[in-house]
Amino acid sequence: QVQLVESGGGLVQAGGSLRLSCAYSGRIFSSNARGWYRQAPGKQRELVARITSGDSTNYADSVKGRFTISRDVAWNTVYLLMNSLKPEETAVYYCNAGTVLGTYWGQGTQVTVSS
């Protein structure tokens, strides 16, 4: 089993910044890809950023240059630094992990960007 716990969400004004954290535990290894997704009300969940072994990263076009995904040395925590936030980025943000046993999700953390 793999456990994921997000933190760091909250209310921020447009143009502001937040850093989300996802703590991983259980049967997960540095070779497992990690990602951040978000889901706004009435919309599908979408990929925001992803990091794989070797520290290869990819981002949604809408966040490139503003968001940064990173990790700690031990791969126990993955971060999402979000700068220049926009009101339309208000959503529940989820972290996930892809393993041979399946894909695991955290419970989500609410990010609200006020205009």
Side-chain angles (χ1 to χ4, degrees), residues 13-58:
Q13 288 188 332
S17 299
L18 281 176
R19 189 179 79 156
L20 306 182
S21 299
C22 180
Y24 293 82
S25 60
R27 293 185 59 80
I28 187 166
F29 307 98
S30 60
S31 58
N32 299 132
R34 324 289 172 94
W36 284 98
Y37 289 71
R38 64 188 178 192
Q39 187 167 19
K43 295 188 176 181
Q44 288 189 328
R45 192 171 297 188
E46 62 175 358
L47 173 69
V48 177
R50 189 167 176 262
I51 186 167
T52 61
S53 61
D55 290 320
S56 176
T57 59
N58 60 285

Side-chain angles (χ1 to χ4, degrees), residues 11-104:
L11 175 64
V12 64
Q13 288 188 332
S17 299
L18 281 176
R19 189 179 79 156
L20 306 182
S21 299
C22 180
Y24 293 82
S25 60
R27 293 185 59 80
I28 187 166
F29 307 98
S30 60
S31 58
N32 299 132
R34 324 289 172 94
W36 284 98
Y37 289 71
R38 64 188 178 192
Q39 187 167 19
K43 295 188 176 181
Q44 288 189 328
R45 192 171 297 188
E46 62 175 358
L47 173 69
V48 177
R50 189 167 176 262
I51 186 167
T52 61
S53 61
D55 290 320
S56 176
T57 59
N58 60 285
Y59 296 90
D61 287 343
S62 61
V63 307
K64 284 179 181 177
R66 298 186 298 119
F67 289 16
T68 304
I69 189 169
S70 62
R71 61 167 181 92
D72 68 356
V73 173
W75 283 92
N76 290 330
T77 305
V78 172
Y79 306 96
L80 183 68
L81 176 61
M82 306 184 292
N83 295 321
S84 302
L85 282 160
K86 305 174 182 179
E88 55 265 37
E89 294 178 311
T90 293
V92 179
Y93 284 69
Y94 299 89
C95 60
N96 88 338
T99 76
V100 294
L101 299 178
T103 299
Y104 295 88

